[in-house]
Amino acid sequence: MKLSNIILEYGEYQQEEDKLARDIKNRFDLGRVSVSMGNYSAGREDNDPLKDMSYGKITFMTRGDFEDSTWNKILSYVKSLDFEITSDSNYFDEDPGERYYYPSIKFHFRNLTK
């Protein structure tokens, strides 16, 4: 997928992002949870699997991996919200002086603005 195929309209899903982050944080007694959501660009062909779809990412700002049982409960909860998980990583790592890699879940969902 080309980056030019994605549009980001800042704040379009702000309420949904805040609610999902708060729900996950409270449900699993976690620290900082960051959620971002957006729409793929419009004008997709009818046979494009991403037509009328949106995307999201949940990032768990923790310096460590989750226990497998906790991670599986988080994944089950996200799936129960009718999100299609496209990838997940229960992995923390850092490049000293560069950046951190946090556990995260990427997902698709039906465009809420349609």
Side-chain angles (χ1 to χ4, degrees), residues 2-19:
K2 295 179 184 176
L3 194 56
S4 63
N5 290 342
I6 299 173
I7 60 168
L8 296 174
E9 294 184 29
Y10 181 76
E12 183 175 13
Y13 287 111
Q14 189 66 52
Q15 291 179 342
E16 292 85 354
E17 292 169 350
D18 293 345
K19 182 181 183 317

Side-chain angles (χ1 to χ4, degrees), residues 10-27 31-38 57-59 77 81 83 107 109 112:
Y10 181 76
E12 183 175 13
Y13 287 111
Q14 189 66 52
Q15 291 179 342
E16 292 85 354
E17 292 169 350
D18 293 345
K19 182 181 183 317
L20 181 56
R22 191 173 46 253
D23 289 351
I24 290 174
K25 179 181 176 182
N26 293 337
R27 179 177 293 267
R32 187 169 165 223
V33 177
S34 173
V35 176
S36 60
M37 300 166 77
K57 182 178 182 182
I58 305 166
T59 304
Y77 177 68
L81 301 172
F83 293 144
F107 58 92
F109 62 97
L112 300 177

